[in-house]
Amino acid sequence: MDTPVAKKDHLRILFLTIDESATLVNLKNYICAETDTELDYMLFGLPRSKNSKTIQDIYFVTSTGNIIDKSISFNISFKEPLRSLFKFIMHCYAFFILFKIIKHKKYDICIAETSNLGMLAWILKKTGKCRMTVFFAGDIYATDIKGVVGSFLIFSQKLLRKVSYKNNLIWYINRRLKKWDRDHGFMAKDSFIGGIFSFDNKKVIKYSKYLKNMQQICYIGRIDQHAGLDIVIRSIKYIRKKIPNITFKVIGGYSENDLLYFKELAKREEVSERVQFLGFIKDIKEVEDIIAESALGMAVYDPHKESGTFYIDPGKVRDYLEAGTPVVITKQGPLVIRDIRKYNAGILVEFDPFDIADKIIEVFNLTEFITWAN
């Protein structure tokens, strides 16, 4: 027998996401903690490579904290754009897993991030599993992928976006993203704009007690050739002339090809021993400890490339600041730069290895920096 839809004063929410996003954190910490709301969520992680395998993380977490792990792995490592094609296929496969898990459940609201998951929310609405569905338009899709596979991916993402717009409500993260959608032909019948950037005050208080390693900087996020890591690695070459023991710790999943690219770059720049690729770390506490002990967190974006980062508030910035770690961020970047400048929460740099190196060396030499960072 299907679980009946909740009464008016009790909500059942299903959240579909690709990671432990700020939206999910806010739902758990504020909505569910302070109201009579049940929250189930399914996490469809981005494909990651490990030991020549491609791993697709798929988790379903119930409102009572039970975790159903449906992750799968393949003995092959994909290059782009095949990696993106694989991700698309895995999202379709994950829908059947999701439908099986919630076979005897119904929800009042389903919120879905990304166009792939927005399509799944629409299908759930059509099959009567959700009374109301919300597409969280928190990112753009790539429009510059080359080749036959690239053309297929652009077409499929455009189609998925159109289907996602058939949900009851469109939730834009900001006006910049809403304008991008309108400029690309996506018009919402019902929508609202609501930011999701917030801090966990308990973490801020906890990590404010950590002492900084004044010879360590860090990065958390995707490890690919569009993440600005190449510029940071090149900057290490110049930083080490003044700070010989500087260490750059890089946290995040990667494909074997991207890892090889960055390792070869570090070797050419003669900084291999100064750059540590830690890979995907499942233990959130371990990740937070690394960030908290780092003097700076890197968030460098190429202003010459259209990137989804310019339309969102990237999670890595929240992660750095929650851990009490000032941010190094490019001047032409996401909207959160305004707050970083306003509250003196980081260093604004050009997308240039020399400028990044100069700014880091400059602040490391300030006696006030240790007080500021701590």
Side-chain angles (χ1 to χ4, degrees), residues 8 16 63 97 115-116 186 199 202 211 224 261 265 335:
K8 198 170 185 179
L16 308 178
S63 58
I97 294 177
S115 298
N116 290 6
F186 301 104
F199 296 102
K202 292 180 181 178
L211 292 177
D224 62 34
Y261 169 81
L265 174 61
L335 294 172

Side-chain angles (χ1 to χ4, degrees), residues 58-217:
I58 305 174
Y59 300 100
F60 186 89
V61 183
T62 69
S63 58
T64 57
N66 294 328
I67 300 175
I68 302 172
D69 188 350
K70 293 293 183 179
S71 302
I72 53 177
S73 63
F74 299 86
N75 292 316
I76 187 172
S77 183
F78 295 99
K79 294 181 181 180
E80 290 290 0
L82 290 178
R83 187 165 178 263
S84 293
L85 180 60
F86 171 80
K87 180 178 70 174
F88 170 73
I89 294 171
M90 285 297 97
H91 274 75
C92 295
Y93 164 74
F95 171 72
F96 294 100
I97 294 177
L98 172 62
F99 206 88
K100 186 176 180 179
I101 292 174
I102 66 171
K103 182 169 57 175
H104 300 298
K105 287 190 173 187
K106 286 188 177 181
Y107 296 91
D108 296 288
I109 302 172
C110 175
I111 304 172
E113 294 184 314
T114 78
S115 298
N116 290 6
L117 301 180
M119 177 195 68
L120 300 189
W122 177 74
I123 294 174
L124 289 174
K125 183 182 73 168
K126 287 296 183 182
T127 54
K129 305 302 290 183
C130 295
R131 185 160 52 89
M132 177 182 179
T133 54
V134 181
F135 170 50
F136 181 80
D139 204 347
I140 65 173
Y141 60 82
T143 58
D144 59 352
I145 311 175
K146 307 298 182 183
V148 176
V149 176
S151 297
F152 169 76
L153 287 172
I154 292 173
F155 169 78
S156 63
Q157 285 298 314
K158 189 178 295 186
L159 180 61
L160 288 169
R161 196 79 162 193
K162 287 184 177 180
V163 174
S164 295
Y165 264 67
K166 294 181 180 294
N167 286 294
N168 297 107
L169 187 64
I170 311 301
W171 176 2
Y172 296 106
I173 191 173
N174 54 49
R175 295 185 184 280
R176 183 185 288 185
L177 198 142
K178 182 176 182 178
K179 182 180 183 304
W180 189 93
D181 267 11
R182 290 174 67 92
D183 290 345
H184 288 78
F186 301 104
M187 308 291 289
K189 291 182 178 179
D190 293 298
S191 67
F192 73 98
I193 297 173
I196 46 81
F197 198 85
S198 63
F199 296 102
D200 185 336
N201 290 330
K202 292 180 181 178
K203 287 184 180 180
V204 174
I205 294 170
K206 173 185 175 181
Y207 289 114
S208 65
K209 300 175 183 177
Y210 276 52
L211 292 177
K212 296 296 180 185
N213 180 346
M214 301 309 295
Q215 295 183 334
Q216 178 177 305
I217 61 177

Side-chain angles (χ1 to χ4, degrees), residues 347-367:
I347 305 164
L348 272 61
V349 298
E350 301 292 345
F351 189 73
D352 175 79
F354 298 102
D355 188 60
I356 293 170
D358 287 345
K359 294 286 176 54
I360 291 177
I361 292 169
E362 181 183 350
V363 297
F364 272 30
N365 287 333
L366 293 174
T367 55

